[in-house]
Amino acid sequence: MEVYACLHCDLLQEIPALAEGEVARCFRCGWLILQNRPRSFARPLALLLAAVILFALFQSFPLLTFKKAGLEQTAHVATGIRELARQGMMPLAALVAVTLVFVPALYLLSLIYVLVPASLNRKTPGMFFLFRWVRVLAPWQMVEIFLLGVLVSFTKVSAMARVEPGIALYALGMFLFVTAAATAALDPQEIWRLWSKRH
Ligand SMILES: [Zn+2]
């Protein structure tokens, strides 16, 4: 028996260990407090690995290709950041680099660092500390805002030149869905339960 607080109405209640597939709801309000999803680490982990591949794709392939009068220019994430910095827009360049490169990379690596040992029922140094911070980090990955920005500029530039979306743009769109699915598939309670488990 362990004591859990209902996140909806704050009622404290004792809940026995759940069998695979079982759920525990609040006595008072019926809020879902705990669930034991079958093989719960395999799915988020598989999605995270897919996200790593998509991340590599959108960092290394062209985002957009501009074509005008026989001239062709491709834009990558990295060249975009460098171009912003070159034009004196340092804060914007830094913001794009943080939200599009550093935070997503840190987010993926940290979650994998936590989930790989967790799926083997093992603990590694710092994994719980990291897991707590990764959830603080999550709102700072603003890939979707960048994607929106690209689409807005896409419609503006397309009046002047032919613009073709590159592989990186599709990868970026898929990255959004895959990371959201990975986060949704992950049950944080499972990680915290591992913490209180002694080996
Ligand atoms: Zn409740």
Side-chain angles (χ1 to χ4, degrees), residues 6 9 26 29 31:
C6 170
C9 73
C26 175
C29 72
W31 185 265

Side-chain angles (χ1 to χ4, degrees), residues 5-11 13 25-31 33:
C6 170
L7 292 180
H8 191 62
C9 73
D10 286 337
L11 181 69
Q13 46 213 297
R25 292 186 179 278
C26 175
F27 281 128
R28 185 155 66 190
C29 72
W31 185 265
I33 296 180

